[in-house]
Amino acid sequence: MNRQPVVLVVDDELRSQEALRRTLEEEAQVITASSADEARRHLEREFVDVILCDQRMPGTDGVTFLKEARDRWPDAVRIIISGYADAEDIIAGVNDAGIYQYLMKPWHPDNLLASVRNAARLRRLQQDDHDLATELRTAMPVLATRVEARREVVRRRFDWGALVRAAGSPLDA
């Protein structure tokens, strides 16, 4: 069963929060926060797949907050949304905060939905990769034990201990 992704919208403007919520709510569980402090409290309590954060907010700006989010909640995919095309913000967002995408205001609902869908898909793929790696690490000792047990059965069945090897045989031990 596929659960809806959880998207944390961080924006100090209530109208922006509501517009983002209305656009995303059919495809995601949306949580809103009006500040970085409020967003931290949500992240400490709830699992979040995607963080959609405004760049210019009073107090902590978006890049600074997402840099902290990268360190503390690295699994969440981070997206900045801004009405300003400041190259320094974009570069800092990519380099320092590891943002997935930088969206410009005013945004188009279809573009926003596509970006959030792709971010959620990336998050699911990262989780699947992590799960498979964990499964492989735990399965390897079990599989090695099974292979050795089967080798022992074959050795006994065909009486490998009774085989006589010629001198210089590559299997001569």
Side-chain angles (χ1 to χ4, degrees):
M1 180 176 121
N2 285 341
R3 69 169 180 79
Q4 282 189 319
V6 178
V7 178
L8 174 60
V9 172
V10 186
D11 197 316
D12 60 311
E13 296 178 23
L14 291 177
R15 294 175 89 185
S16 292
Q17 283 183 26
E18 282 309 308
L20 290 164
R21 175 192 292 284
R22 282 191 309 275
T23 303
L24 298 171
E25 68 187 355
E26 288 187 22
E27 296 193 21
Q29 178 187 341
V30 180
I31 303 167
T32 58
S34 296
S35 67
D37 290 335
E38 186 179 349
R40 281 185 205 94
R41 288 190 295 274
H42 283 295
L43 287 164
E44 288 169 353
R45 291 189 318 259
E46 303 173 55
F47 178 83
V48 172
D49 294 296
V50 178
I51 303 171
L52 182 59
C53 185
D54 186 28
Q55 168 55 11
R56 301 225 173 147
M57 299 183 295
T60 305
D61 66 67
V63 169
T64 303
F65 170 69
L66 291 179
K67 183 178 178 184
E68 177 187 349
R70 179 186 196 181
D71 294 338
R72 293 184 64 189
W73 302 281
D75 294 337
V77 178
R78 296 162 301 281
I79 298 174
I80 287 270
I81 189 163
S82 180
Y84 305 93
D86 185 357
E88 288 182 26
D89 286 346
I90 295 170
I91 292 168
V94 171
N95 292 337
D96 299 338
I99 64 165
Y100 171 71
Q101 194 162 13
Y102 195 100
L103 298 176
M104 294 301 300
K105 290 180 182 177
W107 43 267
H108 189 276
D110 292 338
N111 293 341
L112 177 71
L113 281 168
S115 294
V116 171
R117 275 187 208 122
N118 288 336
R121 189 174 307 132
L122 173 64
R123 173 67 191 106
R124 278 193 309 274
L125 289 171
Q126 289 171 334
Q127 184 61 48
D128 289 349
D129 179 57
H130 178 267
D131 293 348
L132 286 171
T134 300
E135 195 173 317
L136 280 173
R137 279 193 304 275
T138 58
M140 286 173 77
V142 172
L143 293 175
T145 302
R146 285 183 189 169
V147 167
E148 190 52 42
R150 288 183 180 170
R151 279 188 181 138
E152 190 55 39
V153 167
V154 170
R155 283 186 188 109
R156 282 193 305 260
R157 178 181 286 165
F158 295 104
D159 198 20
W160 281 14
L163 290 176
V164 176
R165 293 185 178 93
S169 170
L171 297 177
D172 190 29

